[in-house]
Amino acid sequence: MKINKNKGIASILVIAIGLLFTACDKNDDVIYNDVEGIYEGTLTTSIAGKSSSSKVNNTAIAEVTMVGDQIEVHCFNDDFDTTIMLNLFEDGDMINTCLTGSDFENMYGHMMGQGNMNGNMSNMGSQWMQHLNNEHQDGDEHFGGFNMQNHSFEYTFKMENGEFHFQGTKN
């Protein structure tokens, strides 16, 4: 009887440990899927050093869609329409964004993976800090992200004719 009792206790212990790991496992897909949706907000412009938010229609929409492990952001209003692809990186209550592929190379002048490489290849720090340490060089800047607490998104689109800053909240 003692063997059956020990097997029963061992089985319960294995199930409890399994449930503990399952409950504590944070699913990044769920977190990242939370950014997907329609954001309504404003679009301000800065052209040749002049800032303008006094246009008749500065209301704008940003449609955020998951495409694999990246997002597609389609931002538009009557005077502006652009679509970009961005990578996502968790950083506490924030989901920060970074350009992808050739947009990354054109903005920063180097390919991904040619950052500081300060030997910080371990799992220390947030995804965002690992991204900064491993993919970027000093002086590289980023242009926006998601605040998961207030369901907002902001991003500055760097275009040939100036900068366009979107700030909005999720519907």
Side-chain angles (χ1 to χ4, degrees):
M1 284 298 226
K2 188 171 186 172
I3 293 174
N4 285 338
K5 185 177 180 183
N6 286 342
K7 282 184 179 179
I9 291 172
S11 296
I12 291 171
L13 186 59
V14 167
I15 291 170
I17 290 172
L19 288 174
L20 177 67
F21 282 117
T22 303
C24 293
D25 184 24
K26 203 157 74 170
N27 187 341
D28 289 341
D29 291 341
V30 171
I31 293 167
Y32 290 160
N33 285 333
D34 286 347
V35 304
E36 192 169 34
I38 306 291
Y39 294 79
E40 290 185 17
T42 58
L43 189 69
T44 56
T45 61
S46 177
I47 299 173
K50 296 181 181 179
S51 180
S52 169
S53 60
S54 61
K55 290 186 175 183
V56 174
N57 182 11
N58 66 350
T59 301
I61 300 288
E63 296 174 339
V64 178
T65 308
M66 292 297 301
V67 179
D69 60 350
Q70 300 175 336
I71 58 169
E72 177 183 86
V73 177
H74 178 210
C75 186
F76 60 94
N77 69 7
D78 291 341
D79 301 317
F80 181 80
D81 191 342
T82 193
T83 302
I84 61 171
M85 295 295 294
L86 298 169
N87 285 321
L88 299 172
F89 300 94
E90 190 176 356
D91 188 23
D93 293 334
M94 301 292 294
I95 302 289
N96 293 315
T97 61
C98 187
L99 296 166
T100 63
S102 61
D103 289 337
F104 180 98
E105 293 174 29
N106 291 335
M107 178 58 65
Y108 302 117
H110 59 87
M111 296 183 341
M112 289 187 83
Q114 294 182 338
N116 290 322
M117 302 301 281
N118 291 329
N120 187 8
M121 297 296 284
S122 67
N123 287 330
M124 301 291 286
S126 67
Q127 287 179 344
W128 180 243
M129 292 308 298
Q130 290 179 32
H131 167 72
L132 293 176
N133 286 333
N134 299 330
E135 306 293 343
H136 285 281
Q137 297 174 357
D138 293 338
D140 287 356
E141 63 179 311
H142 287 83
F143 306 105
F146 298 87
N147 182 321
M148 303 308 287
Q149 291 294 318
N150 62 16
H151 309 287
S152 65
F153 171 62
E154 65 178 272
Y155 194 84
T156 300
F157 299 90
K158 301 263 186 177
M159 313 294 281
E160 289 179 13
N161 59 339
E163 294 181 2
F164 298 82
H165 182 77
F166 174 82
Q167 186 170 357
T169 55
K170 189 174 182 180
N171 283 348

